[in-house]
């Protein structure tokens, strides 16, 4: 058993693990037999937990202990716009779970981009609020994109391969209940 140095505990990673598991501070504190204030202090970096607490949290949250001692992950900015396939069925807590999982995904992407070159995005960027588009506007945009990509009007054989060839990075993960898919941009990469 390797004992981690308590001075390098990463408070941000505790919060992210809690959010990925869909728990509030209150729920986590109850499950770990401590107070909300204690969890809050750990997450804010005001206090450093004991190694025993980290072991208990790691076991409960199903993360390796070493995760809580890693460097900061890049966080998604608050203004990151997420497009949910079904926004109405995406509750606040389930969107929080998805955002936390997306944070892990963008860090994986950053790591991969150190070694891989991906095609430049061929996804048109505009300033429209996609949630406010009418069905006719969506259909018109789809027709325009099919023409731009020269893929015709028939069924698309392999949508995953097509999107990846156009510079879209896809991650597959069991998201939260009521969310089957969502998308966002990160530094020019859809």
């Amino acid at each position: 058993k390797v004992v981690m140095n308590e001075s390098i505990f990463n408070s941000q990673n505790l919060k992210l693990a809690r959010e990925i598991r869909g728990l509030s501070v209150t729920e986590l504190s109850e499950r770990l037999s401590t107070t909300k204030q204690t969890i809050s202090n750990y997450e804010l970096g005001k206090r450093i937990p004991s190694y025993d607490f980290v072991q208990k949290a790691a076991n409960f949250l199903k993360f390796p202990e070493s995760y809580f001692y890693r460097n900061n992950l890049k966080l998604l900015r608050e203004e990151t716009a997420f497009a949910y396939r079904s926004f109405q069925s995406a509750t606040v807590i389930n969107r929080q779970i998805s955002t936390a999982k997306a944070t892990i995904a963008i860090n994986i992407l950053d790591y991969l981009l150190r070694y891989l070159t991906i095609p430049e995005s061929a996804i048109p960027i505009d300033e429209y609020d996609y949630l406010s588009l009418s069905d006719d506007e969506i259909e018109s945009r789809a027709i325009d994109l099919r023409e731009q990509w020269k893929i015709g009007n028939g069924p698309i054989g392999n949508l995953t391969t097509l999107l990846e060839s156009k510079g879209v990075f896809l991650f597959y993960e069991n998201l939260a209940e009521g969310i089957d898919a969502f998308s966002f941009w990160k530094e020019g990469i859809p």
Side-chain angles (χ1 to χ4, degrees), residues 63-136:
F63 276 79
E65 292 169 22
S66 61
Y67 167 81
F68 297 99
Y69 295 93
R70 288 197 177 132
N71 291 335
N72 281 345
L73 296 172
K74 283 187 179 179
L75 296 177
L76 290 169
R77 295 188 316 247
E78 291 294 322
E79 65 271 13
T80 301
F82 287 86
Y84 290 90
R85 192 147 104 183
S86 178
F87 189 78
Q88 284 75 13
S89 64
T91 64
V92 171
I93 190 71
N94 289 342
R95 288 193 306 265
Q96 181 181 32
I97 293 167
S98 297
T99 300
K101 288 181 176 184
T103 297
I104 299 293
I106 65 162
N107 281 274
I108 293 169
L109 175 59
D110 282 346
Y111 177 79
L112 291 174
L113 289 176
R114 290 186 217 161
Y115 305 100
L116 303 174
T117 302
I118 62 171
E120 190 172 318
S121 172
I123 306 292
I125 301 173
D126 55 36
E127 300 300 320
Y128 295 103
D129 176 8
Y130 292 103
L131 296 176
S132 67
L133 292 176
S134 70
D135 289 346
D136 289 339

Side-chain angles (χ1 to χ4, degrees), residues 31-64:
R31 299 234 172 57
L32 297 179
S33 303
T34 191
T35 66
K36 283 185 351 181
Q37 189 66 37
T38 298
I39 299 294
S40 181
N41 283 335
Y42 291 160
E43 288 186 357
L44 294 171
K46 292 180 178 180
R47 289 184 53 205
I48 297 173
S50 68
Y51 181 68
D52 289 340
F53 173 86
V54 173
Q55 279 185 305
K56 194 173 179 182
N59 287 334
F60 176 74
L61 294 168
K62 295 181 175 54
F63 276 79

Side-chain angles (χ1 to χ4, degrees), residues 7-23:
S7 66
I8 59 170
F9 173 78
N10 190 319
S11 59
Q12 172 190 294
N13 290 357
L14 175 61
K15 180 178 181 183
L16 193 59
R18 175 181 59 76
E19 290 176 344
I20 286 173
R21 298 299 178 231
L23 298 170

